[in-house]
Amino acid sequence: MNSKQMELNKVEVWDGNTCNAQAFRQAAVDVLAAYPITPSTNTVETYASFHANGYVDGEIIMVESEHAAMSGCVGAGAAGGRVATATSSQGCALMVEVLYQCSGMRIPVVLCLVNRALAAPLNVNGDHSDMYLTRDAGWIQLDSFNAQEAYDLTLCSFKIGEHKDVRLPVISNQDGFLTSHTAQTVRPLSDKVAYDFVGDYLQVNAMLDFTNPVTHGVQTEHDWHFEHKAKQHAALMGSLFVVEEVFEEFEKISGRKYNLVESYKVEDADVVIVCLGTTYETAMIAVDAIREETGIKAGVLAPRLFRPFPLTQLASKLQNVKAIACMDRSAPGGTVGTLYNEVAGALFNTQARPILKNLVYGLGGRDIIVNELKEIFVSLNEEAKNGKLNGKIQTLHGVRGPELSFYEH
Amino acid sequence: MSNQKVIKNLKTFSTAAERFEGSHVLCPGCAHSIIVREVLNATNDNLVVSAATGCLEVCTAIYPHTSWDCSWIHIGFENASTAIAGAETMNKVLRKKGRIDPSTPEPKFVTFGGDGATYDIGFQWISGCFERGHDFMYICLDNEVYANTGGQRSSSTPIGSSTTTAPAGSTSYGEKRNKKDMLAIMAAHGSPYVAQVAPNKWKDMIKKIQTGFDTKGPVFINAMSACTTEWKFQPHETIEASDLAVDSLVFPLYEIIDGTELNITYRPKNIVPVRDYLAFQPRFKHLFKPENEYIIEEWQKRVDAKWEYLQKREEARV
């Protein structure tokens, strides 16, 4: 590398966007193609300032839309190098077509998705609508709950996606504003340790390797399409084990342990909240408080890996739980939330038969506070004791006006 | 002309082709295959090619076959230009970082798109690539219709053409709008080189393609690609249809250097009436009904005016 070295302190105060940009810099990304959108803009701005000051020797393509950003990433990745970008919300929606093309062509792009609501109404704040939108796009998806994790998991994303048995793109999720714009203490790795962990880019089927010309993005018919999609799915399912390996390796260099499913005090819990993103940490505080104040055996669980979904790992942690609230932070669109569906799917073929309810919450950046989560635990505990749901299966939690509940049980 | 192939005659030139070969399923008589083969044959340099979704793409890379003996990528309908921009940028980076030996010859980057992918859906992506100045050549295979989906109008479809989404009928003469002037638009982007070519004037075409390969920065080539299926002529009449297009000046051959210097590269000895060009293609058959004849007259006036404009610009060097 010809880039200038950056002196980092043992502890830095970074927001989530800075964490993404620092991870890109340390991974020595070759090409970044991007288009600004709130709240992920600062990832690209920070990286651009690194570029302007000689701290990175890759190239930035400031394209004219998010669709072009991902198109440029796919072209650059197919050419044979490390690529990354960042986006949110509408930008992610505009990219969706190319997200499928990228995973179908097995180009290991890293996308930092700073989660935000989808219009209409237009809203720049955080919820998980964009994460859910990309659910079936064939990308590996990691979820971070704070800035430190955003940094760690973005670094891990390169290593996971570029693994020779995986060769798939990876989305590194974080909550818009709550993580992306909140300065927190972060313990970065040194540049050398970080780069050695991520490793050199493994060039496969590169268009710039002219001794082996390749054809990317072919046309298939019914005779081959199914087999292509099956192989892609098999690679995605298999990536779960690579994620575990990479997490173990990361623990060795950082001391920070990541799991496919994160949980807090679930082992002896009667009632559990399942959620994604920053709500996990708020719920940990609620768990401690409610246990101390009422003795309710509460716990919280969050999949670290959203895709491939760790169904069995999640189910094994929930076998003795009596009541579960699956918290979905996305407009439900005419059915129960995605997380509810995943958890129900994970448990259905097991012995566990907990009470399972779906709370849709926090849309468009509306806060969820410790007291609310405590109330949810109290309500869950009553239901656990009574052995039945108090109300319908799905409730739009905290929405103003009359209570909105759906789906009789 | 560093690594460009020497043109002797058509036979030796065309039989030397190596990079675009058999196993494609383009229609018999399709001009796409003629143009692409000659473009790839114009240089000995390594090529990185992208293709937009369209006839060329779906007919030349059907798994497990490929007609392309060069690096090739297809992503979507609209973003072939940006795909090549990504690859071109990666090439720069890998050379800078020493992962590609900087002494190895620079490859050439080429994008092919149909008129739908160029004039319509892909326009934003092309505009972005040209504004950013990527070093590549964009070649539009302009058959004036969405041929791959079965003959719908594009913004390149000429007035009076009957298409499936702008059909001629008892109260309509078909397409109502004039063809978009893509060459003027691309020249206005500040492109160092834009040109119109046609496969019947193959020496002119190859010379322009080689100029394009030798030009630094984004180059736009609009290639007239007569479509036997949608223009409805016989497969052996492709070159005849092309002759009529350039000799009637419906499709004049010229180039614009740096957005200003305009050169007309072919002047027909005997200019053919537009009427003859239209009469050759059944897509215009209904224009010969008495109530539609005025469209032909207006068309002739427009072609005459454009020809005069081109000549004036050439003379004025503006």
Side-chain angles (χ1 to χ4, degrees), chain B residues 288-302:
Chain B
F288 293 87
K289 288 181 189 166
E291 67 269 28
N292 291 335
E293 286 261 356
Y294 75 100
I295 301 287
I296 300 177
E297 284 160 30
E298 282 180 10
W299 197 324
Q300 183 69 60
K301 279 184 203 157
R302 206 175 50 254

Side-chain angles (χ1 to χ4, degrees), chain A residues 182-199:
Chain A
T182 306
Q184 298 178 321
T185 53
V186 172
R187 293 173 184 276
L189 304 173
S190 75
D191 285 6
K192 185 175 181 333
V193 170
Y195 185 81
D196 287 348
F197 167 70
V198 174

Side-chain angles (χ1 to χ4, degrees), chain A residues 96 99-107 109 133-141 166-171 229 232-233 235-237 239 307-308:
Chain A
V96 161
L99 295 182
Y100 278 77
Q101 291 156 340
C102 183
S103 62
M105 291 158 75
R106 310 282 297 269
I107 311 286
V109 176
L133 176 71
T134 60
R135 196 190 60 186
D136 296 340
W139 287 53
I140 295 164
Q141 295 211 40
V166 178
R167 302 294 302 174
L168 283 170
V170 184
I171 290 174
K229 293 321 260 187
Q232 190 186 328
H233 182 59
L236 190 53
M237 295 303 279
S239 72
R307 284 289 179 275

Side-chain angles (χ1 to χ4, degrees), chain B residues 277-318:
Chain B
Y277 170 72
L278 301 177
F280 190 75
Q281 300 171 40
R283 64 174 168 154
F284 298 117
K285 192 171 65 182
H286 54 282
L287 295 184
F288 293 87
K289 288 181 189 166
E291 67 269 28
N292 291 335
E293 286 261 356
Y294 75 100
I295 301 287
I296 300 177
E297 284 160 30
E298 282 180 10
W299 197 324
Q300 183 69 60
K301 279 184 203 157
R302 206 175 50 254
V303 166
D304 292 345
K306 179 75 185 274
W307 185 238
E308 203 179 316
Y309 166 78
L310 290 176
Q311 293 185 100
K312 276 185 182 160
R313 261 196 72 178
E314 182 183 43
E315 201 178 331
R317 316 308 279 165
V318 290

Side-chain angles (χ1 to χ4, degrees), chain A residues 367-387:
Chain A
D367 283 339
I368 182 108
I369 59 173
V370 173
N371 275 349
E372 282 174 274
L373 293 163
K374 279 161 68 179
E375 283 166 22
I376 292 168
F377 281 127
V378 170
S379 160
L380 270 180
N381 197 49
E382 276 172 33
E383 289 163 324
K385 271 197 266 179
N386 298 338

Side-chain angles (χ1 to χ4, degrees), chain A residues 28 30 57 59 61-65 67-68 71-72 75-76 81 97 101 207 210 214-219 224 228, chain B residues 46 61-63 66 71-76 78-79 82-83 86 89-91 93-94 96-97 99 107 124-125 132:
Chain A
D30 294 312
D57 54 4
E59 282 291 325
I61 318 176
M62 288 313 303
V63 289
E64 77 290 342
S65 73
H67 190 294
S71 305
E97 183 197 21
Q101 291 156 340
M207 289 201 294
F210 296 106
V214 281
T215 299
H216 281 280
V218 292
Q219 149 101 348
W224 280 110
H228 280 289
Chain B
N46 285 321
I62 307 171
Y63 187 84
T66 183
S71 298
W72 186 90
I73 186 168
H74 157 255
I75 305 180
E78 63 288 319
N79 49 8
T82 318
T89 308
M90 184 59 80
N91 177 57
V93 172
L94 297 188
K96 188 167 69 178
K97 291 189 175 183
R99 274 151 58 197
Q124 170 197 305
W125 289 257
R132 294 190 300 273

